[in-house]
């Protein structure tokens, strides 16, 4: 049970970041080494509870050979995406810094550190032109990353990106906000992979565990899952500006008072507690 006043609860991990209300999270981002490729787990028939011989046809209640293949591919694909987490987090953090640095003329130095597709966006010294090109690439990344973070689809992330840009275009604040959104989606991918790994290590787990976990994860995130991932990421990176922004948004435009005490924020916090238990394999 979280302690009052934003303090960690009695079971908090030492050094773990906290969000107002006392929710605690893993103290660091998982890396690719966290996710060794598991061998096929023993199949267990639902009807008998007995192990299925390796070469026997799969006959499991509610499942099929197709969904077994889908589950295997899902696990491999999620692990592959998780391996890119450190570089993607680095890029988005650099872009957040760049949004301020470019305005002061120091943008070229930050851009030189970017990797992947971002390195192909040319810097000509024209901040507005560069932001438009960078923003276009960021939005393409948003759509791609949303598919690997366990959301119910790309619409949540795309709508958030569109609302961020709005009628102001690709200003420095818009660049920062979409980079934060993409960083959150990267975090979602990492958390999804970490949760799958925990699910596969549970006693009696089968090769269907990744598919079953993703279904449960997506259902738990629900229609406002993008905000849960955004807040989780903001806390993980100790990004106070991002925490306050999410809290303000979920509180609603008419809320007056401490946004971390609004019903919208408290509901989001409860969802984060559910996600955290899932990631721990509970």
């Amino acid at each position: 049970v979280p302690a009052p006043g934003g303090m960690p609860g009695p079971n908090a991990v030492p050094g773990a970041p906290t969000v107002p209300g006392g929710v605690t999270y893993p103290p660091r981002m998982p890396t690719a080494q966290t996710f060794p490729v598991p061998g096929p787990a023993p199949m267990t028939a639902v009807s008998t509870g007995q192990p299925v011989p390796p070469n026997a046809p799969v006959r499991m209640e509610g499942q099929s050979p197709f969904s077994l293949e889908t589950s295997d591919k899902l696990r491999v694909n999620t692990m592959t995406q998780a391996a890119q987490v450190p570089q993607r987090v680095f890029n988005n953090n650099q872009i957040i810094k760049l949004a301020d640095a470019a305005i002061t003329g120091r943008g070229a130095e930050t851009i030189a550190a970017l990797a992947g597709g971002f390195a192909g966006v040319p810097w000509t010294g024209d901040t507005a032109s560069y932001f438009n090109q960078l923003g276009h690439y960021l939005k393409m990344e948003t759509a791609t990353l949303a598919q690997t973070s366990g959301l119910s689809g790309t619409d949540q992330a795309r709508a958030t990106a569109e609302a961020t840009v709005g009628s102001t275009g690709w200003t420095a604040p818009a660049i920062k906000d979409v980079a934060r959104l993409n960083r959150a989606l990267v975090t979602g991918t990492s958390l999804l992979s970490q949760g799958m790994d925990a699910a596969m290590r549970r006693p009696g787990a089968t090769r269907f565990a990744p598919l079953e976990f993703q279904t449960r994860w997506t259902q738990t995130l629900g229609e406002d899952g993008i905000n849960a991932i955004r807040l989780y990421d903001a806390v993980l990176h100790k990004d106070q500006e991002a925490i306050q922004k999410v809290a303000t948004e979920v509180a609603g435009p008419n809320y007056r008072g401490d946004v971390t005490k609004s019903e919208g924020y408290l509901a989001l916090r409860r969802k984060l507690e559910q996600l955290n238990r899932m990631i721990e394999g509970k």
Side-chain angles (χ1 to χ4, degrees):
V1 177
M7 297 298 291
N11 298 320
V13 178
T18 62
V19 51
V23 184
T24 58
Y25 302 95
R28 62 183 176 83
M29 288 290 289
T31 65
Q33 288 72 33
T34 310
F35 311 117
V37 180
M43 296 299 298
T44 303
V46 172
S47 58
T48 65
Q50 298 300 316
V52 178
N55 297 325
V58 177
R59 293 290 184 271
M60 295 186 70
E61 183 180 337
Q63 301 287 3
S64 67
F66 174 76
S67 59
L68 176 59
E69 180 183 1
T70 301
S71 187
D72 288 343
K73 287 183 178 179
L74 172 64
R75 181 66 186 124
V76 172
N77 180 63
T78 303
M79 287 172 46
T80 301
Q81 295 298 323
Q84 301 176 42
V85 164
Q87 182 62 66
R88 283 175 163 169
V89 168
F90 172 80
N91 276 345
N92 283 295
N93 279 334
Q94 290 296 108
I95 291 169
I96 292 169
K97 295 177 183 178
L98 166 66
D100 292 327
I103 296 175
T104 63
R106 295 180 288 108
E109 300 174 11
T110 306
I111 293 167
L114 298 179
F118 291 106
V121 181
W123 170 250
T124 62
D126 180 356
T127 302
S129 175
Y130 179 77
F131 275 6
N132 285 335
Q133 294 181 70
L134 179 61
H136 176 71
Y137 193 88
L138 280 170
K139 282 180 65 176
M140 291 194 302
E141 284 274 284
T142 300
T144 300
L145 293 170
Q147 297 176 0
T148 64
S149 58
L151 293 170
S152 57
T154 61
D155 289 346
Q156 292 182 47
R158 186 181 293 114
T160 301
E162 294 289 349
T164 295
V165 179
S167 60
T168 61
W170 287 106
T171 61
I175 289 288
K176 289 170 65 175
D177 285 345
V178 177
R180 281 184 168 122
L181 170 63
N182 287 358
R183 186 185 66 188
L185 294 171
V186 172
T187 293
T189 299
S190 180
L191 297 175
L192 179 63
S193 185
Q194 184 178 346
M196 283 186 184
D197 186 65
M200 290 196 70
R201 295 177 186 279
R202 296 182 67 178
T206 73
R207 282 163 58 195
F208 288 113
L211 192 60
E212 292 166 348
F213 181 83
Q214 185 190 50
T215 300
R216 184 180 163 212
W217 177 261
T218 301
Q219 291 174 342
T220 301
L221 282 173
E223 293 302 317
D224 61 341
I226 186 64
N227 287 328
I229 292 179
R230 287 172 66 203
L231 183 57
Y232 201 121
D233 173 79
V235 173
L236 193 63
H237 291 93
K238 301 179 181 179
D239 190 336
Q240 296 300 321
E241 183 179 340
I243 292 173
Q244 189 68 20
K245 186 174 183 64
V246 175
T248 301
E249 289 179 13
V250 300
N254 299 320
Y255 187 82
R256 299 294 180 267
D258 184 350
V259 291
T260 65
K261 295 181 180 178
S262 73
E263 181 52 41
Y265 183 84
L266 294 177
L268 191 61
R269 194 186 77 191
R270 289 191 292 269
K271 180 169 292 191
L272 297 186
E273 292 171 342
Q274 285 182 278
L275 296 177
N276 214 44
R277 288 194 294 271
M278 291 176 64
I279 294 164
E280 294 172 353
K282 298 178 181 178

